[in-house]
Amino acid sequence: MPSGGSINQQMLGSLPLQRRRGRDLVRKVPWITAGVESYSANLVGSGIKPNSRVKDDDIRKAINQTFTDFTEESDADGVNDFYGQLEMAVSMLPSDGEMFFRFRYRRNTDGFVVPLQLQCLSSEFVPIDKNEILPNGNKVIMGVEFNRLNQRVAYHMYKEHPEDIITRTWSSLETIRVPADQVIHFFIPKEPGQVRGIPTLSSVTIKVRDLLEYEDAELVRKKTAAMFAAFIEKNDNEDNFLNEEHGDSELEYEGDVGETALEAGTVQILERGETVKFSTPADVGGNYEVFLKMQLRSIAAAMGVTYEQMTGDLKGVNFSSIRAGLMEFQRRAKQRQSKLIHQVCRRVWPVFMNTAVLSGELKIRDYAFNEREYNRVLWVPPGWRYVNPKDEVAATKAMIRTGLISRSQAVAELGGDISDVDRELASDNASADKYDLVLDSDARKTTNAGLVAERDDNLEAA
């Protein structure tokens, strides 16, 4: 019988245990680790990169370059860049279901390009058991403070990791109130009113445990069976190697009594009445692989990846099946990317712009009067390569020529930006013209078949 109540009430008692179990699986189970890495690699890859939409070319280039410099210094721990922090946030979804970012402002004298950093915090920093109603009427639910309009106004956080026994002190168990505009809470809500994130591995934790126990039992069975190479059968009841004349209660063995070590080329002479019967341990059977695949497929589905991505097993895969699987995975990945952009990237950009302008790194005189215009940005996720480049490029070309999509959209699907592509094409063409080069890739001078295009002097004269 399923329990009732809100999703927050159900999480109170089980969420810490779910997270411990999820982390243990990610650390110790190889295909769970591979699934998490594949998931984050496809969602973040080399980075979800911004492209300022400011119309002024010089200002746009300055903004994009400043953010590129900021990404190298964004991590308060000094371990990752900004895109590495995004990858960590996505990697925490299967085991923790959430992660927190806290803005850390620095002094201009600290030597940063932009005096701003992001601190990555695990879910334990916000106590799940902190639930109360404050004197001002605000309510704290699972460490998150809400006002009367049910808006998030603050997060109550520990100063140090509460479960780190190396650095834990009494003061580290005290919480501080951090305003919500200084915190980013990244999680995937599943129900209205959900306050904290739920690990995606929760739905298959028991299945993974049972599957591991089954594999261990099968391995032990095969290992034990393989240790018995042969058995010696005695037909003479009077010849008992247990030496029963001492009685069952006084049996004393020295060495491997009753065992004969086998070596290559050994010829063993048997005693009277002895025969040899070699061990033939039973195989796992033909259903073992089928059963294992079915279990792994359900686990992969819960993690949001395909079975092939999680295990690397491409046996029996053809072009149609792998393409259909990847297309479905890409649709789900784009959905997750939109939430990552909305919850994290969208929050980081205006704080970055304000800090960069106030610190003097970006010199934009009318920024305060046109803040919304200068904060316009397009976040470009990494694109996916074609499964069948020849046919899919031809299909994309046909859609562009028929007006179904634009060049900008086609380039964006590959993770690029049309302005960068056009600028690089113009630069390449100018360099080729300078040295009088005719390249097969130059559509101005060669046909689609690779032949040199004929010049139309009348057209040029006109």
Side-chain angles (χ1 to χ4, degrees):
M1 296 295 293
S3 59
S6 68
I7 186 172
N8 298 322
Q9 180 180 349
Q10 295 180 17
M11 285 193 294
L12 279 176
S14 63
L15 192 55
L17 178 60
Q18 292 180 37
R19 288 171 177 162
R20 289 195 295 269
R21 287 175 172 173
R23 291 175 182 176
D24 193 59
L25 294 180
V26 172
R27 293 167 181 168
K28 297 180 180 179
V29 183
W31 20 273
I32 296 294
T33 304
V36 172
E37 292 178 351
S38 176
Y39 185 72
S40 60
N42 280 276
L43 262 66
V44 179
S46 59
I48 300 179
K49 301 180 180 180
N51 196 327
S52 174
R53 312 314 289 174
V54 176
K55 296 180 180 179
D56 187 285
D57 290 339
D58 294 335
I59 296 180
R60 184 178 66 253
K61 291 178 182 178
I63 292 175
N64 290 336
Q65 183 58 50
T66 303
F67 187 83
T68 300
D69 297 337
F70 161 75
T71 59
E72 299 295 329
E73 305 172 343
S74 67
D75 189 6
D77 295 329
V79 178
N80 292 311
D81 60 3
F82 175 68
Y83 307 122
Q85 291 178 293
L86 293 181
E87 185 271 336
M88 181 183 294
V90 172
S91 298
M92 297 293 285
L93 290 179
S95 59
D96 284 35
E98 63 182 1
M99 197 181 83
F100 295 90
F101 294 89
R102 184 177 177 184
F103 291 109
R104 292 293 193 176
Y105 296 95
R106 308 304 186 192
R107 300 184 180 88
N108 287 337
T109 56
D110 289 338
F112 296 101
V113 174
V114 177
L116 173 69
Q117 289 187 306
L118 292 172
Q119 182 182 12
C120 297
L121 300 174
S122 62
S123 56
E124 285 84 2
F125 275 85
V126 179
I128 195 174
D129 56 351
K130 188 173 182 60
N131 301 275
E132 59 182 317
I133 298 179
L134 302 178
N136 60 359
N138 290 355
K139 54 185 178 181
V140 180
I141 303 176
M142 305 173 77
V144 183
E145 183 178 337
F146 296 85
N147 61 13
R148 296 180 183 270
L149 299 178
N150 208 33
Q151 298 171 325
R152 298 181 181 230
V153 294
Y155 291 84
H156 294 257
M157 293 184 166
Y158 289 116
K159 298 179 182 179
E160 302 288 343
H161 197 294
E163 298 180 6
D164 192 347
I165 61 175
I166 298 178
T167 60
R168 186 175 63 187
T169 59
W170 286 111
S171 61
S172 65
L173 298 179
E174 299 177 357
T175 59
I176 58 174
R177 185 181 183 274
V178 183
D181 59 359
Q182 299 181 17
V183 178
I184 297 176
H185 184 195
F186 174 60
F187 71 106
I188 307 298
K190 296 297 183 180
E191 296 185 20
Q194 181 177 334
V195 177
R196 303 291 294 269
I198 301 177
T200 56
L201 282 172
S202 296
S203 61
V204 291
T205 299
I206 298 179
K207 181 183 290 291
V208 174
R209 183 201 63 184
D210 292 342
L211 185 59
L212 291 174
E213 291 179 352
Y214 169 71
E215 282 192 311
D216 288 342
E218 193 63 47
L219 180 62
V220 171
R221 185 182 71 84
K222 294 288 291 184
K223 181 179 179 181
T224 303
M227 290 181 178
F228 293 95
F231 301 92
I232 298 179
E233 295 182 346
K234 292 180 175 290
N235 297 326
D236 191 348
N237 294 330
E238 296 180 356
D239 187 11
N240 193 327
F241 77 94
L242 293 179
N243 194 12
E244 294 180 351
E245 64 180 354
H246 296 288
D248 293 340
S249 61
E250 298 181 359
L251 295 179
E252 295 182 359
Y253 301 26
E254 289 188 6
D256 296 333
V257 179
E259 298 180 2
T260 301
L262 298 180
E263 298 179 358
T266 299
V267 178
Q268 179 68 32
I269 300 177
L270 302 179
E271 298 293 338
R272 176 174 54 86
E274 293 182 344
T275 59
V276 176
K277 181 180 179 180
F278 288 93
S279 174
T280 55
D283 199 359
V284 293
N287 294 328
Y288 175 78
E289 183 178 358
V290 177
F291 170 78
L292 196 60
K293 280 188 175 181
M294 291 302 298
Q295 302 304 312
L296 292 177
R297 283 194 175 99
S298 63
I299 295 170
M303 298 184 64
V305 296
T306 64
Y307 164 81
E308 291 78 15
Q309 289 173 317
M310 187 179 74
T311 63
D313 180 15
L314 298 178
K315 181 180 178 181
V317 174
N318 55 43
F319 173 76
S320 299
S321 63
I322 193 67
R323 187 173 186 272
L326 288 177
M327 289 179 64
E328 177 62 25
F329 167 75
Q330 290 172 7
R331 281 191 289 266
R332 297 179 64 182
K334 289 179 180 179
Q335 185 183 44
R336 290 289 187 268
Q337 287 173 342
S338 65
K339 293 183 178 181
L340 179 62
I341 292 173
H342 179 77
Q343 292 188 12
V344 181
C345 302
R346 183 184 62 88
R347 289 281 311 279
V348 170
W349 186 259
V351 177
F352 154 77
M353 286 293 296
N354 293 340
T355 308
V357 172
L358 291 175
S359 66
E361 182 64 26
L362 287 176
K363 296 176 175 57
I364 306 176
R365 295 181 178 179
D366 59 340
Y367 177 80
F369 303 99
N370 299 284
E371 185 174 343
R372 176 173 295 183
E373 293 297 325
Y374 285 112
N375 279 336
R376 295 191 184 278
V377 61
L378 175 65
W379 291 92
V380 183
W384 289 281
R385 295 302 175 185
Y386 295 119
V387 178
N388 186 4
K390 181 178 180 181
D391 293 341
E392 295 186 44
V393 169
T396 302
K397 178 181 176 181
M399 287 190 291
I400 294 175
R401 291 185 63 86
T402 55
L404 296 177
I405 63 173
S406 65
R407 287 179 58 245
S408 299
Q409 183 178 353
V411 173
E413 290 179 355
L414 293 175
D417 182 78
I418 190 64
S419 59
D420 294 335
V421 173
D422 289 344
R423 183 169 55 252
E424 293 173 2
L425 285 175
S427 177
D428 292 345
N429 290 336
S431 178
D433 293 340
K434 178 181 179 181
Y435 296 102
D436 197 21
L437 300 176
V438 179
L439 304 177
D440 181 66
S441 59
D442 192 344
R444 303 173 304 161
K445 299 180 180 180
T446 60
T447 65
N448 194 40
L451 302 177
V452 178
E454 296 181 3
R455 296 178 56 185
D456 192 338
D457 296 333
N458 295 330
L459 182 60
E460 290 185 359

